[in-house]
Amino acid sequence: VTLEHDLAAIVGGQHVLVDPDLRASYEVDWSGRFKGTARCVVRPADTQQVVSVLRACAADGVPVTVQGGNTGLVGGGVPAGGEVLLSLVRLDQLEPVDAVAAQVSVGAGVRLEALQRHAKAAGFDFGVDLAARSAATVGGLVATNAGGIRVVRYGSMRAQLVGLEAVLADGTVLSRLAPPAKDNTGYDWPQLLCGSEGTLAVITKVRVRLVEPSTERAVALVGVADTAAALALLAQARRRFTTLGAAEIFYADGLSLVRSVNALPAPFDDSFAAYVILEAFGNKPTDEILDLLSECDAVGDATVASDPVGRTRLWAYRESHTEAINTAGVPVKLDVCVPMGSLVALVDQLPSTVTDAAPSSRLIVFGHLNEGNLHVNVLGAGERAEAVTDAVLKLVASHGGSISSEHGVGRAKTQWLTLSRSAEEIETMRRLKNALDPQNLLNPNVLLPPP
Ligand code: MLT
Ligand code: ZN
């Protein structure tokens, strides 16, 4: 009896995909850069089926690649070759919102947008938002400790996490979905799994906190002279606004690409080297933005919107970056962050660093200004992809930054993990991995470099 036969008995034959055509969309990541062949794709419907699938794989010693919405950008959810691909998208149950606790439990396969809608219907909001909202799953967001555009206000996924249900590689179910509000009874393993990129356990259910919805919002798109001016504007916005809801940056090259792919009009008569999106929540946000714009010397030009359509129109200049870049080719995507004091230097050094490593490439940079988190996208690197990665990540490390700010290490950056983590830290991570997954079955090529 083959493993595929066992898996079909667990999840039903129609949810074990062996045919290459049916597997294809699961075997390549969103950017098109990471590919691999899975032995089969298996789509369990509930936690008990996940347990049985993992037991069957463990019995045969077959490794497993765990996948949510497949929107990760570091190859963490794509097989390297020969793994069973465990897709969690059918674990899509939304439980009723607990309005007193302001929390909700949902299946790992629930899409971010569905969670946001569910929270809104109960008079709340969810604290994480990002451009891939229609496809990204809550389980994947926890597994990668995803960030996005609201980190400045609510923190990353880790800050929303209340509890988890997860399954270890041997099929053991750990459940700590609704712990008491104050509870110091030992290791906080849900927080340990957050950001572990599917290497320690398979997340099956998630409990998150919800936030109060901000009824009034206003957005400004501001043209500025450079990164230093953008930081001056950010500092004043933080002081001025009752609540800063978002602070994002992009540059002239990104704007022109986004405009040509999406046929968007120029936001201003003049062009600027850098553009900042600021969002204010709450207390007369339009007035707060207008006050800021009139008093801040860093403002070159600005446009403001407070209605939903206008806000979406301004956000499109920033949120279309990822898709526009992918339309132009398969990019090398490096998600980095440096201390705020080094951001100007990093932005200045990136063009020559990238051109030296990959002479005819095209660099597009954008990101989350408040955290000093830049998305460094390099198009046309071709065979120089590894050289570009090496040069940029070493530059970031020389500034004391992180080689992965919000996307994770995945398969893309394992060999550079030593730039951000000490040998002792990596060895301790390896011990944790060995303790929870001694056969090295879960996402074996992800996060940790080969010993
Ligand atoms: C974003 O901030 O839009 C995402 O991290 C996606 C990306 O880096 O392309
Ligand atoms: Zn981002």
Side-chain angles (χ1 to χ4, degrees):
V1 181
T2 64
L3 177 61
E4 283 74 7
H5 182 92
D6 288 347
L7 296 176
I10 297 163
V11 301
Q14 73 274 37
H15 293 298
V16 179
L17 313 179
V18 182
D19 185 274
D21 288 345
L22 297 177
R23 291 192 328 248
S25 67
Y26 297 84
E27 294 179 327
V28 57
D29 82 314
W30 190 91
S31 77
R33 176 144 184 245
F34 299 98
K35 299 180 183 122
T37 307
R39 177 172 169 155
C40 65
V41 175
V42 55
R43 300 187 304 196
D46 56 32
T47 303
Q48 207 43 54
Q49 290 188 3
V50 173
V51 169
S52 303
V53 166
L54 289 178
R55 281 197 184 134
C57 292
D60 282 11
V62 174
V64 175
T65 295
V66 192
Q67 189 181 92
N70 200 11
T71 58
L73 296 165
V74 288
V78 177
E83 300 98 318
V84 165
L85 192 146
L86 178 63
S87 166
L88 295 165
V89 293
R90 291 178 68 217
L91 275 65
D92 60 356
Q93 200 196 347
L94 290 162
E95 292 188 7
V97 168
D98 178 341
V100 175
Q103 295 175 358
V104 67
S105 297
V106 303
V110 166
R111 312 283 177 176
L112 174 57
E113 199 169 67
L115 170 59
Q116 291 170 335
R117 263 201 306 268
H118 187 55
K120 283 191 180 120
F124 291 93
D125 207 342
F126 183 59
V128 166
D129 194 17
L130 37 80
R133 59 184 72 81
S134 66
T137 61
V138 179
L141 295 169
V142 174
T144 56
N145 184 29
I149 59 176
R150 299 289 175 216
V151 173
V152 57
R153 173 70 185 99
Y154 301 113
S156 59
M157 201 62 196
R158 184 181 297 295
Q160 325 307 320
L161 184 61
V162 175
L164 281 184
E165 176 192 81
V167 187
L168 297 180
D170 66 2
T172 303
V173 178
L174 299 179
S175 185
R176 191 167 177 73
L177 265 177
K182 293 186 77 185
D183 175 30
N184 286 348
T185 53
Y187 301 154
D188 191 344
W189 65 262
Q191 286 293 341
L192 176 64
L193 293 197
C194 185
S196 68
E197 303 188 44
T199 61
L200 298 179
V202 176
I203 294 168
T204 47
K205 217 184 231 193
V206 178
R207 189 166 180 88
V208 288
R209 75 178 177 111
L210 301 175
V211 299
E212 291 301 321
S214 64
T215 40
E216 276 190 79
R217 298 178 173 200
V219 176
L221 173 62
V222 187
V224 295
D226 51 26
T227 308
L231 288 171
L233 178 66
L234 168 70
Q236 287 208 28
R238 265 199 310 246
R239 226 170 293 137
R240 258 261 156 223
F241 295 175
T242 308
T243 308
L244 177 61
E248 301 278 313
I249 189 162
F250 54 91
Y251 293 88
D253 293 350
L255 177 67
S256 81
L257 176 64
V258 161
R259 283 190 52 214
S260 68
V261 171
N262 296 332
L264 294 176
F268 307 116
D269 293 339
D270 294 332
S271 37
F272 294 90
Y275 298 84
V276 176
I277 293 248
L278 294 174
E279 186 154 347
F281 287 175
N283 185 22
K284 295 198 169 52
T286 309
D287 292 353
E288 288 188 347
I289 285 187
L290 293 175
D291 287 349
L292 171 75
L293 295 175
S294 67
E295 74 189 23
C296 181
D297 296 339
V299 176
D301 202 348
T303 168
V304 180
S306 53
D307 63 303
V309 173
R311 293 194 315 246
T312 305
R313 186 173 51 79
L314 295 186
W315 266 109
Y317 289 105
R318 158 64 179 88
E319 290 213 306
S320 315
H321 267 69
T322 304
E323 288 201 43
I325 289 165
N326 250 70
T327 306
V330 176
V332 174
K333 297 183 77 76
L334 301 169
D335 156 49
V336 302
C337 102
V338 291
M340 287 312 236
S342 295
L343 195 65
V344 169
L346 177 68
V347 172
D348 287 348
Q349 291 161 340
L350 275 172
S352 60
T353 303
V354 166
T355 312
D356 288 351
S360 54
S361 62
R362 179 174 179 192
L363 170 69
I364 310 271
V365 176
F366 64 97
H368 311 287
L369 183 62
N370 187 66
E371 293 82 46
N373 176 191
L374 295 183
H375 297 314
V376 179
N377 291 261
V378 182
L379 283 161
E383 285 174 356
R384 306 293 298 160
E386 192 171 322
V388 165
T389 304
D390 193 63
V392 171
L393 298 187
K394 281 183 177 153
L395 173 64
V396 167
S398 76
H399 286 294
S402 168
I403 63 150
S404 182
S405 187
E406 60 165 12
H407 293 172
V409 176
R411 276 163 52 190
K413 295 183 186 168
T414 53
Q415 73 180 96
W416 291 278
L417 187 60
T418 50
L419 290 174
S420 279
R421 295 301 192 101
S422 69
E424 292 79 8
E425 285 183 286
I426 293 172
E427 178 52 27
T428 303
M429 291 190 213
R430 216 184 286 289
R431 284 197 215 169
L432 285 166
K433 169 73 172 166
N434 287 341
L436 297 186
D437 179 15
Q439 291 186 84
N440 194 24
L441 294 179
L442 297 180
N443 281 7
N445 303 293
V446 171
L447 208 170
L448 290 168

